[in-house]
């Protein structure tokens, strides 16, 4: 297990290093002078030249890359060209909102998709199965932004108690200082009004973000349950007279949960990337809104920061999921070990 | 005497067609895709108001709800949304052909090479693929289209840059499994060239997986392109593009709901088609992705 973890961590560090270098190359070969962008169109050529020296843009490429990497290890992502604050500060300020959205989304996905998948498998080919099949197809093929707009429409006509923008009602005074997550901090502080408002604000965006994953995981849970249900040990447990519910939940679901959990892990890892559209539509003040804003303004340091953070999140989450799956199903460890 | 005719054997192709014919989801998928292709190709003749495709303005009829005259209503400057959707499908399908036409062959070739060559070639290709896979696609595409100015071609470049990775990983996995098969060894022993083994021996065994994956991909490329233009980083107006139409229409929510929803449903329709087809093909050819 230790050797496995070590091998995976080394591979992860290599991937991260590659990611940084790649993004850095892309950011440096693009047309447009970052110094010029930072100073605006009115700056003189001398000012731009001075700024270039200050930003280290005249150094050889490898020196720039080295400086960036060493800076990165100290948590320095450079300055945002537009807000002229360190990119790191901007990211740290935006991350909790995204994290809260992502956690709410994965919570919805787990609590809806696996039970529905189990139901569909138990009542195979009945109307329950058909309804879940349609729900999952709709979830998979509806683009996030279309679903987001449909939800906003519903909220403005019928579900008027769901707010459609932001994280909290404007009237509420509350600053989340402990974890940055409004739901958890408000509970810790005993502010039920804030907690309720935060949950209502979370609901529609997390549904829009969760739909595709719910559809996918539901189908996979269903087929895994059906596959496991046909194995001998299930038949044996039934013939021992073990109650059907116990067989389904304890025996079948435990074995069948590996495939959906793998997909949920992948889904979780890519949620930050997918959050871009949903945060944009719901004016959610997270890292993706920050990303869209800085990208539209060609703020390169900030863009690199955003891409890097979502990349790191993706890679680390994948590792964590793999390790967890290794605990649930030891065959994963061996399989991975043999293929390096 | 037993006549040979009494026992009809089906070739594998006939078998596949038979399964396809009795797979309702695949048939619906094909129907949807054909209707979209016909709509796109014959848009200038099918559209009730072809001039709506451009920078046409008809202020008298702006914000008209869906009706017999305007099937999907009209937008904020009075253009017929149904006509614009038909023209918008041209952009979507063009994007699919452009992206998958480059990304699929490239990704497949890299995957095959990695599996066949082994050693450090395999290591370099697969680690590079891992790195590319670690980049959140939308963030990358946003970055690329933003630094190069936003338009259809750059959106296409951005999507292509990331799309090949999925095919590389899939084909690598399948081809790696095939490498242990006797026929590959036999080909090697009989002195077949590397190119022959790659393209004539390994590739045919990956074709069904490529077909299923490509069909499912087509829908997601459309979704991705629409998402980019929804954020203002894809196709620029007045070119009719479904994502841009949703984005413009969403400014007039909730009163003029059809202006965002109708193009949104149009996107959903074509993605549904490719998905059903992909699922059908998967059942038919019995491949696991």
């Amino acid at each position: 297990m230790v050797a496995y973890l070590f091998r995976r961590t080394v591979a992860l560090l290599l991937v991260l290093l590659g990611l940084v270098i790649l993004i850095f190359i892309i950011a440096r070969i693009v047309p447009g002078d970052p110094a010029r962008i930072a100073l605006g169109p009115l700056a003189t050529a001398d000012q731009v030249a001075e700024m270039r020296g200050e930003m280290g843009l005249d150094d050889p490429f490898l020196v720039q890359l080295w400086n960036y990497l060493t800076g990165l290890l100290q948590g320095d992502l450079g300055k945002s060209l537009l807000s002229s604050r360190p990119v790191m500060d901007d990211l740290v300020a935006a991350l909790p909102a995204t994290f809260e959205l992502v956690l709410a989304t994965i919570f919805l996905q787990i609590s809806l998709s696996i039970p529905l998948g189990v139901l569909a498998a138990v009542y195979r080919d009945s109307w329950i199965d058909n309804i879940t099949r349609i729900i999952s197809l709709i979830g998979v093929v509806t683009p996030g932004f279309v679903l987001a707009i449909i939800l906003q429409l519903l909220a403005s006509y019928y579900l008027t108690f769901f707010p459609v923008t932001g994280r909290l009602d404007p009237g509420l005074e509350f600053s989340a200082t402990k974890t940055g997550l409004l739901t958890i901090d408000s509970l810790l502080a005993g502010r039920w009004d804030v907690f309720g408002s935060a949950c209502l604000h979370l609901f529609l965006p997390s549904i829009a973000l969760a739909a595709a994953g719910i559809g996918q995981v539901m189908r996979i849970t269903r087929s895994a349950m059906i596959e496991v249900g046909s194995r001998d040990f299930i038949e044996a447990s039934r013939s021992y007279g073990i109650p059907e519910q116990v067989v389904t939940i304890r025996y079948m679901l435990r074995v069948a949960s590996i495939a959906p959990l793998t997909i949920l892990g992948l889904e979780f890892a890519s949620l930050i990337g997918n959050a871009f559209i949903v945060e944009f539509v719901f004016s959610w003040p997270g890292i993706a809104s920050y990303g869209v804003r800085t990208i539209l303004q060609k703020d390169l340091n900030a863009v690199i920061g955003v891409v890097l953070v979502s990349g790191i999140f993706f890679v680390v989450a994948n590792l964590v999921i793999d390790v967890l799956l290794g605990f649930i199903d030891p065959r994963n460890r061996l399989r991975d070990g043999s293929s390096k | 005497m037993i006549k040979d005719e009494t026992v009809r054997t089906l070739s594998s192709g006939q078998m596949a067609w038979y399964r396809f014919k009795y797979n309702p989801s695949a048939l619906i998928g094909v129907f949807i895709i054909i209707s979209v292709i016909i709509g796109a190709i014959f848009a200038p003749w099918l559209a009730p108001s072809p001039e709506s495709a451009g920078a046409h303005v008809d202020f008298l009829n702006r914000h008209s709800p869906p009706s017999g005259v305007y099937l999907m209503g009209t937008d904020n400057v009075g253009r017929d949304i149904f006509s614009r959707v038909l023209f918008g499908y041209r952009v979507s399908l063009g994007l699919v052909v452009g992206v998958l036409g480059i990304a699929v062959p490239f990704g497949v070739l890299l995957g095959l090479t990695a599996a066949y060559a082994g050693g450090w070639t395999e290591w370099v290709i697969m680690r590079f693929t891992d790195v590319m896979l670690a980049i959140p696609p939308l963030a990358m595409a946003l970055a690329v289209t933003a630094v190069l100015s936003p338009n259809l071609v750059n959106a296409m470049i951005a999507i292509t840059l990331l799309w090949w990775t999925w095919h590389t990983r899939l084909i690598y996995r399948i081809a790696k499994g095939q490498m242990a098969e006797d026929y590959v060894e036999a080909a090697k022993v009989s002195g077949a060239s590397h190119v022959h083994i790659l393209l004539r021996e390994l590739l045919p065994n990956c074709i069904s997986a490529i077909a299923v994956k490509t069909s499912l991909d087509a829908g997601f490329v459309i979704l991705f392109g629409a998402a980019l233009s929804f954020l203002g980083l894809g196709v620029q107006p007045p070119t009719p593009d479904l994502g841009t139409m949703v984005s413009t229409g969403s400014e007039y929510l909730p009163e003029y709901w059809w202006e965002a929803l109708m193009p949104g449903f149009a996107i959903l329709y074509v993605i549904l088609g490719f998905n059903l087809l992909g699922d059908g093909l998967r059942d038919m050819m019995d491949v696991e992705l």
Side-chain angles (χ1 to χ4, degrees):
Chain A
M1 192 67 202
V2 175
Y4 169 74
L5 266 182
F6 178 74
R7 208 167 47 230
R8 288 300 310 258
T9 313
V10 170
L12 175 130
L13 288 177
L14 279 177
V15 167
L16 283 182
L17 183 68
L19 179 65
V20 175
I21 295 177
L22 192 74
I23 295 172
F24 195 78
I25 292 175
I26 291 173
R28 282 294 170 266
I29 56 170
V30 299
D33 186 342
R36 167 61 73 185
I37 296 171
L39 290 171
L42 294 176
T44 63
D46 287 345
Q47 283 172 315
V48 173
E50 195 184 328
M51 188 71 175
R52 283 186 69 84
E54 212 174 286
M55 292 165 75
L57 290 172
D58 294 325
D59 297 335
F61 176 78
L62 283 178
V63 176
Q64 288 189 41
L65 180 61
W66 176 251
N67 287 338
Y68 189 80
L69 283 176
T70 45
L72 192 64
L73 287 179
Q74 297 155 16
D76 177 13
L77 289 163
K79 258 188 185 173
S80 160
L81 301 184
L82 288 152
S83 73
S84 62
R85 297 194 331 140
V87 170
M88 200 54 152
D89 292 0
D90 284 351
L91 288 177
V92 167
L95 257 180
T98 297
F99 217 65
E100 188 159 41
L101 180 61
V102 166
L103 287 179
T105 303
I106 202 78
F107 172 75
L108 272 183
Q109 285 180 336
I110 293 175
S111 56
L112 286 178
S113 59
I114 292 188
L116 284 177
V118 172
L119 270 183
V122 171
Y123 299 101
R124 183 152 40 130
D125 297 325
S126 71
W127 59 273
I128 297 180
D129 191 17
N130 287 328
I131 287 180
T132 56
R133 180 174 293 147
I134 292 171
I135 294 177
S136 93
L137 189 62
I138 293 175
V140 171
V141 301
T142 311
F145 59 97
V146 174
L147 184 60
I149 284 176
I150 294 175
L151 288 173
Q152 284 200 328
L153 258 179
L154 286 177
S156 53
Y157 278 126
Y158 304 107
L159 312 167
T160 40
F161 44 93
F162 284 122
V164 290
T165 53
R167 292 175 78 193
L168 213 55
D169 287 340
L172 288 170
E173 286 289 327
F174 187 75
S175 66
T177 42
K178 288 203 182 75
T179 59
L181 307 180
L182 283 174
T183 43
I184 294 183
D185 281 2
S186 62
L187 275 185
L188 289 178
R191 289 283 302 273
W192 289 98
D193 52 335
V194 176
F195 178 73
S197 171
C199 285
L200 284 181
H201 278 83
L202 262 175
F203 191 71
L204 294 181
S206 50
I207 291 257
L209 197 50
I214 291 178
Q216 216 185 351
V217 176
M218 217 154 75
R219 296 315 287 171
I220 286 164
T221 312
R222 176 188 178 272
S223 50
M225 283 294 283
I226 289 175
E227 194 267 317
V228 173
S230 67
R231 291 200 202 155
D232 289 345
F233 78 96
I234 295 298
E235 212 43 57
S237 333
R238 284 204 182 107
S239 56
Y240 290 151
I242 297 172
E244 190 59 33
Q245 290 96 320
V246 179
V247 173
T248 309
I249 303 298
R250 276 247 207 97
Y251 298 173
M252 278 163 73
L253 185 57
R254 179 180 291 177
V255 180
S257 64
I258 291 167
L261 282 181
T262 314
I263 300 293
L264 273 171
L266 283 174
E267 181 69 23
F268 178 64
S270 49
L271 274 184
I272 284 202
N274 296 344
F276 270 84
I277 296 279
V278 171
E279 286 196 3
F280 184 75
V281 175
F282 287 99
S283 320
W284 193 260
I287 188 172
S289 316
Y290 178 68
V292 173
R293 216 167 46 238
T294 52
I295 284 166
L296 289 172
Q297 294 165 331
K298 303 207 174 200
D299 186 346
L300 276 184
N301 278 342
V303 174
I304 298 179
V306 171
V307 176
L308 207 57
V309 166
S310 26
I312 290 173
F313 181 79
F314 182 79
V315 181
V316 174
N318 265 327
L319 176 69
V320 173
I321 300 292
D322 277 359
V323 172
L324 284 180
L325 285 173
F327 273 114
I328 301 178
D329 182 3
R331 284 173 304 177
N332 278 333
R333 284 192 304 247
L334 293 174
R335 198 176 304 146
D336 211 83
S338 60
S339 68
K340 268 183 281 185
Chain B
M1 209 175 93
I2 302 167
K3 284 186 181 169
D4 283 348
E5 289 89 358
T6 50
V7 182
R8 269 186 68 209
T9 48
L10 295 177
S11 70
S12 61
Q14 281 171 317
M15 207 48 212
W17 170 240
Y18 184 80
R19 267 183 280 176
F20 190 76
K21 243 184 0 188
Y22 290 96
N23 185 329
S25 82
L27 283 182
I28 299 175
V30 168
F31 172 78
I32 292 178
I33 294 167
I34 290 179
S35 69
V36 168
I37 292 177
I38 290 179
I41 292 179
F42 299 106
W45 298 278
L46 288 176
S49 126
E51 66 277 7
S52 290
H56 172 72
V57 171
D58 177 6
F59 274 114
L60 278 180
N61 288 313
R62 64 198 294 243
H63 300 307
S64 308
S67 64
V69 188
Y70 305 110
L71 282 178
M72 297 182 171
T74 63
D75 67 4
N76 55 330
V77 291
R79 292 176 296 197
D80 177 38
I81 293 179
F82 179 66
S83 306
R84 287 179 66 74
V85 163
L86 289 184
F87 281 94
Y89 277 144
R90 293 185 154 193
V91 176
S92 308
L93 293 179
L95 193 69
V96 169
V97 173
V99 169
L100 295 182
I102 297 170
V104 173
F106 184 72
V108 167
L109 216 59
L110 272 185
L112 281 179
T113 312
Y116 180 67
W120 64 267
T121 317
E122 174 184 6
W123 194 88
V124 169
I125 293 180
M126 291 323 290
R127 285 298 88 82
F128 183 60
T129 310
D130 282 349
V131 173
M132 295 300 282
L133 277 168
I135 304 177
L138 200 55
M140 171 81 166
L142 290 170
V144 172
T145 45
V147 287
L148 315 165
S149 53
N151 59 43
L152 180 62
V153 175
N154 287 336
M156 211 182 268
I157 293 175
I159 302 175
T160 312
L161 274 179
L162 291 167
W163 216 275
W164 58 269
T165 51
W166 299 100
H167 285 266
T168 303
R169 196 149 82 164
L170 173 71
I171 297 309
Y172 168 76
R173 211 185 60 218
I174 297 175
K176 194 78 188 166
Q178 296 289 327
M179 286 301 289
E181 299 284 334
D182 289 341
Y183 74 89
V184 179
E185 201 54 41
K188 273 188 197 161
V189 171
S190 59
S193 70
H194 295 316
V195 176
H196 176 92
I197 298 180
L198 277 179
L199 299 184
R200 291 293 172 82
E201 305 287 344
L202 285 173
L203 184 60
N205 284 292
C206 304
I207 285 291
S208 47
I210 297 173
V212 174
K213 177 89 182 117
T214 306
S215 168
L216 290 171
D217 271 1
F220 289 114
V221 168
I222 292 178
L223 195 158
F224 213 76
L228 276 184
S229 33
F230 178 76
L231 293 172
L233 290 165
V235 185
Q236 297 300 306
T239 310
D241 171 84
L242 300 171
T244 319
M245 288 163 75
V246 176
S247 147
T248 320
S250 66
E251 287 164 27
Y252 301 96
L253 288 174
E255 307 94 283
Y256 308 123
W257 49 269
W258 57 89
E259 295 176 25
L261 271 197
M262 289 302 175
F265 284 139
I267 301 173
L268 209 159
Y269 179 71
V270 60
I271 297 176
L272 179 70
F274 280 114
N275 248 56
L276 289 175
L277 175 68
D279 281 345
L281 286 176
R282 174 164 50 195
D283 293 345
M284 177 179 120
M285 302 200 261
D286 200 22
V287 287
E288 266 191 49
L289 290 186

